[in-house]
Amino acid sequence: MPPPPSLSRRALLGSALGLGAYGLSGCAGLTERVSSTSRGSRDTLTFQTYGTDVEGNIYDVLARRFEEQNRGVTVDVTVVPFAEASTGIDAGLVSGTAPDIFRVDYPTMGVYASTGQLLDLEDSLDELAGDSSKAFMDAVTDRGRVFGIPQHVDTSALVYRPDVLRDAGITSVPDRPEDAWSWEEFAQVAATLRDAAPAGSSAFAVNWQALGAFRWLNFLFQAGGHVYDEDRTRSLLTSASATRALDFTKSFFDEGLVPQTSSTKAATYPDALFTSGSLAMLYAGNFLLPSFADTIKDRFEYAVTYLPRDRRRASELGGNALVATKGATNPELASEFLTFMAAPAQMKDFCEASVLLPTRDSLLSQELDFAVAADLMPVYADQVTTIEPRDVADVTTATFAEVNLSLANELETCFLSGRGTADTLQALAEQVDESAYLNRQDAS
């Protein structure tokens, strides 16, 4: 017997279509408490996004550009904190007040696409699909239909302080992808830095806090493992590869290589530790480079190298899509706006200003004029090439948002409370198997 699906956010959204047809009178209280979203009108698009000030500003610039090309049309851009974005969207979808357009990260997109909440973009993105890798288009596709534009991608690389490494006697850092440190070499470097670190400092930290728990999968993929089998109906998290990945990452805490406050459920992000000078290295996404430039200024030098490798190189699919809600007042206008945002000119301007990587092959092959840290971006651009379609499939299932929460909970218990690798992976596998049951339901 398959395990019963749990009552979840996915179940709530799945019921929202039916609730909307009855006016949602029973959900009015919920809407008033947590949702400030609103639908547009015939000539007005409402657009909710999150992100840095730079991202908010460039979205506003592009919205005004769309208005100039479409006289009489207004695009209302609302920027909300990342932590509040999904809550507002979920409540807006349940109440029928969701914005026409919203920004969503790839691991969360599956829950909206699979529950019928998004506008099917049909064939309007054929040109984009011809200029983007299969992996990026797969991230916005559900059961063969495209529900969003993969606007940009970001990923992780290893940011480090050359001065701290030199002082510890580490004089060689990989400057070519083929020379990326192996896990064993990286562990030796980290131990050397730990032994040389002054009190209150650590060798490195990993960016897997909060909704970033899925970045642990970088280690799983590097070890040759995967979350699901190829048809995503069964967990593979008790495999030898998963055991190797968890043993390796657990050793970061057991051997004092990372701060104990940097686990998957930490309340703060470790980039603040790096900018304050108390870390020698940091697994960091390229979206942090503008804030590094602004915060670090010339206090110390920093550079970037490739993520350590094991059986293969791997990096996460970070970044965001833009989607339209199925209930948009003017779906044709919403579709036109998404097509406009996916055009080369808009994608290039957005990525250069925000220091993010485009998803169009024609732009990835160009030398873009990034606002800051242009010298560091080639390493990130190379890391993106290590993302494989099966990696993307693992993190864009309809149920991955719940798997991501399970990762944060179970890894925290393993890293900080002493639970063993086998017990942790078994607990994770049982929860992933439950989600796989729902994946099978969707596929049937």
Side-chain angles (χ1 to χ4, degrees):
M1 285 286 291
S6 59
L7 180 61
S8 65
R9 175 185 177 201
R10 180 177 178 278
L12 175 65
L13 290 172
S15 69
L17 290 176
L19 290 172
Y22 292 96
L24 289 158
S25 57
C27 294
L30 173 66
T31 302
E32 290 170 359
R33 286 197 302 274
V34 300
S35 175
S36 60
T37 58
S38 61
R39 293 174 65 179
S41 61
R42 190 68 192 168
D43 297 322
T44 298
L45 289 173
T46 53
F47 174 21
Q48 177 183 293
T49 184
Y50 48 79
T52 65
D53 289 345
V54 171
E55 292 168 4
N57 289 337
I58 188 65
Y59 273 129
D60 194 59
V61 167
L62 297 178
R64 304 293 81 77
R65 188 183 297 175
F66 183 75
E67 291 174 349
E68 291 172 2
Q69 296 180 15
N70 296 271
R71 293 295 179 185
V73 170
T74 299
V75 181
D76 287 335
V77 180
T78 301
V79 181
V80 301
F82 177 69
E84 300 175 11
S86 293
T87 303
I89 293 295
D90 289 2
L93 290 169
V94 171
S95 66
T97 62
D100 298 310
I101 307 288
F102 66 95
R103 189 185 195 191
V104 60
D105 60 291
Y106 299 120
T108 304
M109 182 166 172
V111 72
Y112 295 123
S114 68
T115 51
Q117 300 294 341
L118 302 182
L119 181 66
D120 185 340
L121 298 176
E122 299 181 340
D123 302 323
S124 61
L125 298 178
D126 283 352
E127 186 275 333
L128 173 65
D131 191 25
S132 301
S133 75
K134 182 178 183 300
F136 298 154
M137 292 308 297
D138 283 351
V140 293
T141 299
D142 182 69
R143 286 167 279 185
R145 306 304 299 173
V146 177
F147 291 99
I149 63 166
Q151 191 196 17
H152 68 89
V153 63
D154 59 65
T155 196
S156 295
L158 189 64
V159 179
Y160 67 96
R161 290 185 56 174
D163 58 334
V164 175
L165 268 64
R166 282 195 300 269
D167 291 347
I170 299 164
T171 57
S172 177
V173 178
D175 58 4
R176 302 186 308 169
E178 57 268 37
D179 295 332
W181 283 321
S182 67
W183 282 6
E184 289 75 17
E185 292 169 331
F186 174 73
Q188 291 174 359
V189 167
T192 301
L193 291 169
R194 175 201 58 199
D195 295 344
S201 297
S202 297
F204 72 98
V206 182
N207 54 344
W208 48 29
Q209 294 72 31
L211 296 178
F214 76 99
R215 295 191 178 101
W216 178 81
L217 301 180
N218 287 346
F219 299 94
L220 177 67
F221 298 155
Q222 289 161 8
H226 278 284
V227 179
Y228 300 101
D229 61 359
E230 292 203 29
D231 56 5
R232 295 186 291 286
T233 58
R234 184 174 62 86
S235 165
L236 296 181
L237 284 175
T238 54
S239 66
S241 296
T243 299
R244 177 170 169 77
L246 188 54
D247 281 343
F248 181 58
T249 49
K250 186 174 185 293
S251 75
F252 299 167
F253 293 88
D254 292 347
E255 298 179 16
L257 302 176
V258 298
Q260 294 295 305
T261 56
S262 66
S263 185
T264 48
K265 295 181 71 175
T268 57
Y269 296 103
D271 45 286
L273 298 175
F274 185 76
T275 58
S276 69
S278 59
L279 290 176
M281 303 186 293
L282 175 68
Y283 283 69
N286 51 284
F287 63 90
L288 289 172
L289 295 178
S291 65
F292 284 1
D294 185 57
T295 307
I296 297 172
K297 299 186 185 302
D298 59 357
R299 286 188 290 117
F300 57 79
E301 178 189 3
Y302 57 97
V304 62
T305 186
Y306 307 91
L307 291 187
R309 59 181 166 78
D310 193 42
R311 287 183 58 187
R312 55 167 280 214
R313 298 180 62 218
S315 191
E316 84 277 11
L317 176 70
N320 296 275
L322 295 181
V323 298
T325 53
K326 190 174 184 178
T329 302
N330 188 339
E332 294 80 12
L333 186 62
S335 180
E336 288 175 17
F337 181 73
L338 292 181
T339 302
F340 167 84
M341 293 295 285
Q346 279 67 246
M347 187 180 288
K348 179 174 183 290
D349 289 351
F350 180 82
C351 289
E352 287 183 338
S354 304
V355 192
L356 297 168
L357 292 166
T359 55
R360 285 182 173 274
D361 292 338
S362 59
L363 294 178
L364 280 169
S365 62
Q366 295 181 25
E367 185 173 343
L368 299 183
D369 184 19
F370 292 108
V372 299
D375 58 324
L376 306 183
M377 288 302 287
V379 172
Y380 285 99
D382 177 78
Q383 284 292 156
V384 167
T385 67
T386 69
I387 300 171
E388 299 182 357
R390 190 170 170 192
D391 305 343
V392 174
D394 269 0
V395 301
T396 54
T397 64
T399 52
F400 189 76
E402 289 151 323
V403 172
N404 200 23
L405 291 176
S406 297
L407 280 169
N409 292 331
E410 302 303 333
L411 292 174
E412 172 99 345
T413 302
C414 178
F415 293 158
L416 299 184
S417 299
R419 187 171 63 179
T421 296
D423 289 343
T424 299
L425 291 176
Q426 183 61 43
L428 271 172
E430 290 173 0
Q431 293 170 61
V432 170
D433 275 336
E434 182 175 336
S435 76
Y437 169 74
L438 295 172
N439 293 340
R440 288 196 297 275
Q441 279 194 323
D442 286 341
S444 62

Short mmCIF file of all heavy atoms in Angstrom, two decimals, residues 23-81:
data_model
loop_
_atom_site.label_atom_id
_atom_site.label_comp_id
_atom_site.label_asym_id
_atom_site.label_seq_id
_atom_site.Cartn_x
_atom_site.Cartn_y
_atom_site.Cartn_z
N GLY A 23 -16.44 31.75 -4.97
CA GLY A 23 -16.28 33.06 -4.38
C GLY A 23 -15.45 33.08 -3.12
O GLY A 23 -15.19 34.13 -2.56
N LEU A 24 -15.03 31.93 -2.59
CA LEU A 24 -14.11 31.88 -1.49
C LEU A 24 -14.59 32.60 -0.25
O LEU A 24 -13.81 33.15 0.50
CB LEU A 24 -12.74 32.45 -1.93
CG LEU A 24 -12.01 31.54 -2.89
CD1 LEU A 24 -11.01 32.34 -3.67
CD2 LEU A 24 -11.34 30.41 -2.17
N SER A 25 -15.86 32.61 -0.02
CA SER A 25 -16.35 33.32 1.14
C SER A 25 -15.77 32.76 2.42
O SER A 25 -15.50 33.49 3.37
CB SER A 25 -17.88 33.26 1.18
OG SER A 25 -18.31 31.90 1.19
N GLY A 26 -15.53 31.45 2.44
CA GLY A 26 -15.00 30.85 3.65
C GLY A 26 -13.57 31.18 3.93
O GLY A 26 -13.07 30.93 5.01
N CYS A 27 -12.86 31.75 2.96
CA CYS A 27 -11.44 32.06 3.14
C CYS A 27 -11.21 33.55 3.33
O CYS A 27 -10.08 34.00 3.35
CB CYS A 27 -10.64 31.57 1.94
SG CYS A 27 -10.61 29.79 1.77
N ALA A 28 -12.25 34.32 3.49
CA ALA A 28 -12.07 35.77 3.55
C ALA A 28 -11.19 36.18 4.72
O ALA A 28 -10.35 37.06 4.59
CB ALA A 28 -13.44 36.44 3.66
N GLY A 29 -11.37 35.52 5.86
CA GLY A 29 -10.54 35.89 7.00
C GLY A 29 -9.09 35.67 6.76
O GLY A 29 -8.26 36.54 7.03
N LEU A 30 -8.75 34.52 6.19
CA LEU A 30 -7.35 34.23 5.87
C LEU A 30 -6.79 35.29 4.94
O LEU A 30 -5.70 35.81 5.14
CB LEU A 30 -7.25 32.85 5.20
CG LEU A 30 -5.88 32.47 4.66
CD1 LEU A 30 -4.90 32.30 5.81
CD2 LEU A 30 -5.96 31.18 3.86
N THR A 31 -7.54 35.65 3.92
CA THR A 31 -7.07 36.61 2.94
C THR A 31 -6.80 37.96 3.60
O THR A 31 -5.77 38.58 3.36
CB THR A 31 -8.13 36.80 1.84
OG1 THR A 31 -8.37 35.54 1.26
CG2 THR A 31 -7.65 37.75 0.79
N GLU A 32 -7.68 38.39 4.45
CA GLU A 32 -7.50 39.69 5.06
C GLU A 32 -6.27 39.72 5.97
O GLU A 32 -5.61 40.74 6.09
CB GLU A 32 -8.75 40.04 5.88
CG GLU A 32 -9.95 40.35 4.99
CD GLU A 32 -11.24 40.45 5.79
OE1 GLU A 32 -11.17 40.28 7.01
OE2 GLU A 32 -12.28 40.70 5.18
N ARG A 33 -5.94 38.56 6.55
CA ARG A 33 -4.80 38.55 7.47
C ARG A 33 -3.47 38.55 6.76
O ARG A 33 -2.56 39.26 7.14
CB ARG A 33 -4.88 37.31 8.38
CG ARG A 33 -5.95 37.40 9.46
CD ARG A 33 -5.67 36.37 10.54
NE ARG A 33 -5.62 35.01 10.01
CZ ARG A 33 -6.68 34.25 9.84
NH1 ARG A 33 -7.87 34.70 10.16
NH2 ARG A 33 -6.57 33.03 9.36
N VAL A 34 -3.32 37.76 5.70
CA VAL A 34 -1.97 37.52 5.20
C VAL A 34 -1.75 37.97 3.76
O VAL A 34 -0.62 38.01 3.31
CB VAL A 34 -1.59 36.04 5.29
CG1 VAL A 34 -1.66 35.59 6.74
CG2 VAL A 34 -2.51 35.19 4.43
N SER A 35 -2.79 38.29 3.02
CA SER A 35 -2.57 38.59 1.62
C SER A 35 -2.77 40.06 1.32
O SER A 35 -3.78 40.64 1.69
CB SER A 35 -3.52 37.77 0.75
OG SER A 35 -3.38 38.16 -0.59
N SER A 36 -1.82 40.65 0.64
CA SER A 36 -1.98 42.03 0.19
C SER A 36 -1.89 42.07 -1.32
O SER A 36 -1.66 43.13 -1.90
CB SER A 36 -0.91 42.92 0.83
OG SER A 36 0.37 42.46 0.46
N THR A 37 -2.01 40.92 -1.96
CA THR A 37 -1.91 40.86 -3.41
C THR A 37 -3.22 41.32 -4.04
O THR A 37 -4.27 41.33 -3.40
CB THR A 37 -1.61 39.44 -3.87
OG1 THR A 37 -2.63 38.56 -3.41
CG2 THR A 37 -0.27 38.97 -3.33
N SER A 38 -3.14 41.67 -5.32
CA SER A 38 -4.37 42.08 -6.01
C SER A 38 -4.24 41.74 -7.49
O SER A 38 -3.15 41.76 -8.07
CB SER A 38 -4.60 43.59 -5.84
OG SER A 38 -3.52 44.32 -6.40
N ARG A 39 -5.38 41.42 -8.10
CA ARG A 39 -5.42 41.14 -9.52
C ARG A 39 -5.42 42.45 -10.29
O ARG A 39 -5.78 43.51 -9.79
CB ARG A 39 -6.67 40.34 -9.86
CG ARG A 39 -6.67 38.94 -9.29
CD ARG A 39 -7.98 38.25 -9.54
NE ARG A 39 -8.23 38.02 -10.96
CZ ARG A 39 -9.33 37.39 -11.42
NH1 ARG A 39 -10.22 36.96 -10.57
NH2 ARG A 39 -9.49 37.22 -12.69
N GLY A 40 -5.03 42.35 -11.56
CA GLY A 40 -5.04 43.54 -12.39
C GLY A 40 -6.40 43.73 -13.03
O GLY A 40 -7.40 43.14 -12.63
N SER A 41 -6.41 44.58 -14.05
CA SER A 41 -7.63 44.82 -14.80
C SER A 41 -7.31 44.62 -16.28
O SER A 41 -6.24 44.12 -16.63
CB SER A 41 -8.15 46.23 -14.53
OG SER A 41 -7.18 47.18 -14.95
N ARG A 42 -8.21 45.04 -17.15
CA ARG A 42 -8.01 44.80 -18.58
C ARG A 42 -6.71 45.43 -19.08
O ARG A 42 -6.00 44.85 -19.89
CB ARG A 42 -9.20 45.36 -19.36
CG ARG A 42 -9.22 44.96 -20.82
CD ARG A 42 -9.47 43.46 -20.95
NE ARG A 42 -9.22 43.01 -22.31
CZ ARG A 42 -9.12 41.75 -22.67
NH1 ARG A 42 -9.24 40.78 -21.77
NH2 ARG A 42 -8.91 41.41 -23.92
N ASP A 43 -6.38 46.63 -18.61
CA ASP A 43 -5.20 47.34 -19.09
C ASP A 43 -4.12 47.51 -18.03
O ASP A 43 -3.18 48.29 -18.21
CB ASP A 43 -5.60 48.73 -19.61
CG ASP A 43 -6.53 48.63 -20.81
OD1 ASP A 43 -6.33 47.73 -21.64
OD2 ASP A 43 -7.46 49.44 -20.90
N THR A 44 -4.26 46.81 -16.93
CA THR A 44 -3.28 46.92 -15.85
C THR A 44 -2.83 45.53 -15.42
O THR A 44 -3.66 44.67 -15.13
CB THR A 44 -3.88 47.66 -14.63
OG1 THR A 44 -4.24 48.99 -15.02
CG2 THR A 44 -2.87 47.74 -13.49
N LEU A 45 -1.53 45.35 -15.37
CA LEU A 45 -0.94 44.11 -14.87
C LEU A 45 -0.39 44.36 -13.48
O LEU A 45 0.30 45.37 -13.25
CB LEU A 45 0.20 43.64 -15.78
CG LEU A 45 -0.16 43.09 -17.16
CD1 LEU A 45 1.12 42.84 -17.96
CD2 LEU A 45 -0.97 41.79 -17.04
N THR A 46 -0.69 43.45 -12.56
CA THR A 46 -0.05 43.52 -11.25
C THR A 46 1.08 42.48 -11.23
O THR A 46 0.92 41.35 -11.69
CB THR A 46 -1.05 43.23 -10.12
OG1 THR A 46 -1.72 41.99 -10.39
CG2 THR A 46 -2.07 44.34 -10.04
N PHE A 47 2.22 42.87 -10.69
CA PHE A 47 3.44 42.06 -10.76
C PHE A 47 4.09 42.08 -9.39
O PHE A 47 4.51 43.13 -8.92
CB PHE A 47 4.36 42.66 -11.82
CG PHE A 47 5.74 42.04 -11.93
CD1 PHE A 47 6.02 40.77 -11.46
CD2 PHE A 47 6.77 42.75 -12.52
CE1 PHE A 47 7.29 40.22 -11.56
CE2 PHE A 47 8.05 42.22 -12.64
CZ PHE A 47 8.31 40.95 -12.16
N GLN A 48 4.15 40.90 -8.73
CA GLN A 48 4.83 40.80 -7.44
C GLN A 48 6.20 40.15 -7.61
O GLN A 48 6.33 39.09 -8.23
CB GLN A 48 4.03 39.98 -6.43
CG GLN A 48 4.77 39.81 -5.09
CD GLN A 48 4.04 38.97 -4.10
OE1 GLN A 48 2.98 39.36 -3.60
NE2 GLN A 48 4.60 37.79 -3.79
N THR A 49 7.19 40.79 -7.02
CA THR A 49 8.54 40.23 -7.08
C THR A 49 9.19 40.40 -5.71
O THR A 49 8.63 40.98 -4.78
CB THR A 49 9.38 40.91 -8.16
OG1 THR A 49 10.67 40.28 -8.25
CG2 THR A 49 9.57 42.40 -7.86
N TYR A 50 10.38 39.86 -5.56
CA TYR A 50 11.22 40.03 -4.37
C TYR A 50 12.64 40.18 -4.86
O TYR A 50 12.91 40.01 -6.06
CB TYR A 50 11.11 38.80 -3.45
CG TYR A 50 11.26 37.49 -4.18
CD1 TYR A 50 12.50 36.98 -4.56
CD2 TYR A 50 10.13 36.75 -4.55
CE1 TYR A 50 12.63 35.79 -5.26
CE2 TYR A 50 10.25 35.56 -5.26
CZ TYR A 50 11.50 35.09 -5.61
OH TYR A 50 11.62 33.93 -6.31
N GLY A 51 13.54 40.48 -3.95
CA GLY A 51 14.94 40.56 -4.38
C GLY A 51 15.63 41.79 -3.82
O GLY A 51 15.10 42.50 -2.95
N THR A 52 16.82 42.04 -4.33
CA THR A 52 17.61 43.17 -3.86
C THR A 52 17.03 44.47 -4.40
O THR A 52 16.18 44.48 -5.29
CB THR A 52 19.06 43.02 -4.35
OG1 THR A 52 19.06 43.10 -5.80
CG2 THR A 52 19.66 41.69 -3.93
N ASP A 53 17.54 45.57 -3.85
CA ASP A 53 17.11 46.88 -4.35
C ASP A 53 17.44 47.02 -5.83
O ASP A 53 16.65 47.59 -6.59
CB ASP A 53 17.81 47.99 -3.56
CG ASP A 53 17.30 48.09 -2.13
OD1 ASP A 53 16.24 47.51 -1.83
OD2 ASP A 53 17.98 48.75 -1.31
N VAL A 54 18.60 46.51 -6.23
CA VAL A 54 19.00 46.59 -7.64
C VAL A 54 17.99 45.84 -8.52
O VAL A 54 17.56 46.35 -9.57
CB VAL A 54 20.41 46.01 -7.84
CG1 VAL A 54 20.74 45.87 -9.32
CG2 VAL A 54 21.44 46.88 -7.15
N GLU A 55 17.59 44.65 -8.08
CA GLU A 55 16.62 43.87 -8.86
C GLU A 55 15.27 44.59 -8.93
O GLU A 55 14.63 44.64 -9.98
CB GLU A 55 16.49 42.47 -8.27
CG GLU A 55 17.75 41.63 -8.44
CD GLU A 55 17.74 40.36 -7.61
OE1 GLU A 55 16.72 40.07 -6.95
OE2 GLU A 55 18.75 39.65 -7.62
N GLY A 56 14.84 45.14 -7.80
CA GLY A 56 13.57 45.86 -7.80
C GLY A 56 13.61 47.05 -8.75
O GLY A 56 12.65 47.32 -9.48
N ASN A 57 14.74 47.76 -8.77
CA ASN A 57 14.86 48.93 -9.64
C ASN A 57 14.84 48.54 -11.11
O ASN A 57 14.20 49.21 -11.94
CB ASN A 57 16.15 49.68 -9.32
CG ASN A 57 16.09 50.38 -7.98
OD1 ASN A 57 15.00 50.67 -7.48
ND2 ASN A 57 17.25 50.65 -7.39
N ILE A 58 15.55 47.48 -11.48
CA ILE A 58 15.60 47.12 -12.90
C ILE A 58 14.25 46.53 -13.35
O ILE A 58 13.83 46.74 -14.49
CB ILE A 58 16.78 46.17 -13.20
CG1 ILE A 58 16.92 45.96 -14.71
CG2 ILE A 58 16.64 44.83 -12.50
CD1 ILE A 58 17.30 47.19 -15.48
N TYR A 59 13.54 45.84 -12.45
CA TYR A 59 12.19 45.40 -12.82
C TYR A 59 11.30 46.61 -13.12
O TYR A 59 10.50 46.59 -14.06
CB TYR A 59 11.57 44.57 -11.69
CG TYR A 59 11.90 43.09 -11.74
CD1 TYR A 59 12.40 42.43 -10.63
CD2 TYR A 59 11.69 42.36 -12.92
CE1 TYR A 59 12.70 41.08 -10.67
CE2 TYR A 59 12.00 41.00 -12.96
CZ TYR A 59 12.50 40.37 -11.84
OH TYR A 59 12.79 39.03 -11.89
N ASP A 60 11.45 47.65 -12.33
CA ASP A 60 10.63 48.84 -12.56
C ASP A 60 11.01 49.50 -13.89
O ASP A 60 10.12 49.93 -14.64
CB ASP A 60 10.84 49.83 -11.40
CG ASP A 60 9.79 50.92 -11.39
OD1 ASP A 60 8.60 50.59 -11.30
OD2 ASP A 60 10.17 52.10 -11.53
N VAL A 61 12.29 49.56 -14.20
CA VAL A 61 12.73 50.12 -15.48
C VAL A 61 12.12 49.35 -16.64
O VAL A 61 11.61 49.93 -17.62
CB VAL A 61 14.27 50.11 -15.56
CG1 VAL A 61 14.75 50.39 -16.99
CG2 VAL A 61 14.87 51.12 -14.59
N LEU A 62 12.15 48.02 -16.56
CA LEU A 62 11.63 47.20 -17.66
C LEU A 62 10.11 47.30 -17.75
O LEU A 62 9.54 47.25 -18.85
CB LEU A 62 12.07 45.74 -17.47
CG LEU A 62 13.59 45.53 -17.51
CD1 LEU A 62 13.93 44.06 -17.25
CD2 LEU A 62 14.19 45.99 -18.83
N ALA A 63 9.45 47.45 -16.61
CA ALA A 63 7.98 47.63 -16.64
C ALA A 63 7.63 48.92 -17.36
O ALA A 63 6.68 48.96 -18.16
CB ALA A 63 7.43 47.64 -15.21
N ARG A 64 8.38 49.99 -17.11
CA ARG A 64 8.12 51.27 -17.79
C ARG A 64 8.40 51.12 -19.29
O ARG A 64 7.72 51.70 -20.13
CB ARG A 64 8.97 52.38 -17.20
CG ARG A 64 8.85 52.63 -15.71
CD ARG A 64 7.48 53.18 -15.31
NE ARG A 64 6.47 52.15 -15.19
CZ ARG A 64 6.34 51.31 -14.15
NH1 ARG A 64 7.17 51.35 -13.15
NH2 ARG A 64 5.39 50.41 -14.12
N ARG A 65 9.39 50.34 -19.63
CA ARG A 65 9.70 50.11 -21.05
C ARG A 65 8.55 49.39 -21.73
O ARG A 65 8.18 49.72 -22.87
CB ARG A 65 10.99 49.29 -21.18
CG ARG A 65 11.51 49.18 -22.61
CD ARG A 65 12.75 48.28 -22.68
NE ARG A 65 13.88 48.82 -21.92
CZ ARG A 65 15.03 48.17 -21.75
NH1 ARG A 65 15.20 46.96 -22.28
NH2 ARG A 65 16.02 48.73 -21.07
N PHE A 66 7.96 48.41 -21.04
CA PHE A 66 6.80 47.69 -21.61
C PHE A 66 5.63 48.66 -21.80
O PHE A 66 4.92 48.60 -22.82
CB PHE A 66 6.40 46.55 -20.67
CG PHE A 66 5.27 45.70 -21.19
CD1 PHE A 66 5.47 44.78 -22.21
CD2 PHE A 66 3.98 45.82 -20.65
CE1 PHE A 66 4.42 43.99 -22.69
CE2 PHE A 66 2.94 45.03 -21.11
CZ PHE A 66 3.16 44.12 -22.15
N GLU A 67 5.43 49.56 -20.84
CA GLU A 67 4.35 50.53 -20.96
C GLU A 67 4.56 51.44 -22.18
O GLU A 67 3.61 51.77 -22.88
CB GLU A 67 4.27 51.38 -19.69
CG GLU A 67 3.79 50.61 -18.47
CD GLU A 67 3.86 51.44 -17.19
OE1 GLU A 67 4.48 52.54 -17.22
OE2 GLU A 67 3.32 50.98 -16.17
N GLU A 68 5.82 51.84 -22.40
CA GLU A 68 6.10 52.71 -23.55
C GLU A 68 5.78 52.02 -24.87
O GLU A 68 5.37 52.66 -25.84
CB GLU A 68 7.58 53.12 -23.53
CG GLU A 68 7.94 54.07 -22.39
CD GLU A 68 9.44 54.30 -22.29
OE1 GLU A 68 10.17 53.75 -23.14
OE2 GLU A 68 9.86 55.01 -21.37
N GLN A 69 5.97 50.73 -24.90
CA GLN A 69 5.70 49.98 -26.13
C GLN A 69 4.24 49.56 -26.24
O GLN A 69 3.83 49.04 -27.29
CB GLN A 69 6.61 48.75 -26.20
CG GLN A 69 8.09 49.08 -26.28
CD GLN A 69 8.96 47.83 -26.35
OE1 GLN A 69 8.48 46.73 -26.60
NE2 GLN A 69 10.26 48.00 -26.12
N ASN A 70 3.47 49.76 -25.19
CA ASN A 70 2.07 49.35 -25.18
C ASN A 70 1.25 50.49 -24.54
O ASN A 70 0.90 50.45 -23.35
CB ASN A 70 1.88 48.05 -24.39
CG ASN A 70 2.58 46.87 -25.02
OD1 ASN A 70 2.03 46.17 -25.86
ND2 ASN A 70 3.84 46.65 -24.62
N ARG A 71 0.99 51.52 -25.32
CA ARG A 71 0.32 52.71 -24.81
C ARG A 71 -1.01 52.35 -24.16
O ARG A 71 -1.79 51.54 -24.70
CB ARG A 71 0.09 53.71 -25.95
CG ARG A 71 1.39 54.29 -26.50
CD ARG A 71 2.10 55.13 -25.45
NE ARG A 71 3.36 55.69 -25.97
CZ ARG A 71 4.23 56.38 -25.23
NH1 ARG A 71 3.97 56.56 -23.95
NH2 ARG A 71 5.31 56.87 -25.77
N GLY A 72 -1.26 52.97 -23.00
CA GLY A 72 -2.49 52.72 -22.28
C GLY A 72 -2.41 51.58 -21.29
O GLY A 72 -3.35 51.34 -20.53
N VAL A 73 -1.27 50.88 -21.28
CA VAL A 73 -1.09 49.76 -20.36
C VAL A 73 -0.27 50.22 -19.15
O VAL A 73 0.68 50.99 -19.29
CB VAL A 73 -0.37 48.58 -21.07
CG1 VAL A 73 0.05 47.51 -20.06
CG2 VAL A 73 -1.29 47.98 -22.12
N THR A 74 -0.63 49.72 -17.98
CA THR A 74 0.11 50.01 -16.75
C THR A 74 0.58 48.70 -16.13
O THR A 74 -0.18 47.72 -16.11
CB THR A 74 -0.80 50.76 -15.74
OG1 THR A 74 -1.22 51.99 -16.32
CG2 THR A 74 -0.04 51.04 -14.45
N VAL A 75 1.82 48.70 -15.65
CA VAL A 75 2.34 47.54 -14.91
C VAL A 75 2.67 48.00 -13.50
O VAL A 75 3.59 48.81 -13.30
CB VAL A 75 3.60 46.96 -15.58
CG1 VAL A 75 4.10 45.74 -14.79
CG2 VAL A 75 3.34 46.60 -17.03
N ASP A 76 1.93 47.52 -12.52
CA ASP A 76 2.16 47.87 -11.12
C ASP A 76 3.11 46.84 -10.51
O ASP A 76 2.76 45.67 -10.36
CB ASP A 76 0.85 47.88 -10.33
CG ASP A 76 -0.02 49.08 -10.68
OD1 ASP A 76 0.53 50.10 -11.12
OD2 ASP A 76 -1.25 48.98 -10.51
N VAL A 77 4.32 47.29 -10.16
CA VAL A 77 5.34 46.39 -9.60
C VAL A 77 5.34 46.52 -8.08
O VAL A 77 5.45 47.62 -7.55
CB VAL A 77 6.74 46.73 -10.15
CG1 VAL A 77 7.78 45.78 -9.56
CG2 VAL A 77 6.75 46.67 -11.67
N THR A 78 5.21 45.40 -7.40
CA THR A 78 5.27 45.37 -5.93
C THR A 78 6.43 44.48 -5.51
O THR A 78 6.52 43.33 -5.94
CB THR A 78 3.97 44.81 -5.33
OG1 THR A 78 2.88 45.64 -5.75
CG2 THR A 78 4.04 44.79 -3.81
N VAL A 79 7.33 45.02 -4.69
CA VAL A 79 8.47 44.25 -4.18
C VAL A 79 8.20 43.88 -2.74
O VAL A 79 7.89 44.74 -1.92
CB VAL A 79 9.78 45.06 -4.29
CG1 VAL A 79 10.96 44.23 -3.79
CG2 VAL A 79 10.02 45.52 -5.73
N VAL A 80 8.28 42.58 -2.42
CA VAL A 80 8.03 42.09 -1.06
C VAL A 80 9.27 41.34 -0.58
O VAL A 80 10.09 40.88 -1.39
CB VAL A 80 6.80 41.17 -1.01
CG1 VAL A 80 5.57 41.89 -1.50
CG2 VAL A 80 7.04 39.90 -1.83
N PRO A 81 9.44 41.17 0.74
CA PRO A 81 10.55 40.35 1.24
C PRO A 81 10.43 38.91 0.74
O PRO A 81 9.31 38.38 0.66
CB PRO A 81 10.41 40.44 2.76
CG PRO A 81 9.62 41.69 3.00
CD PRO A 81 8.68 41.80 1.83
#
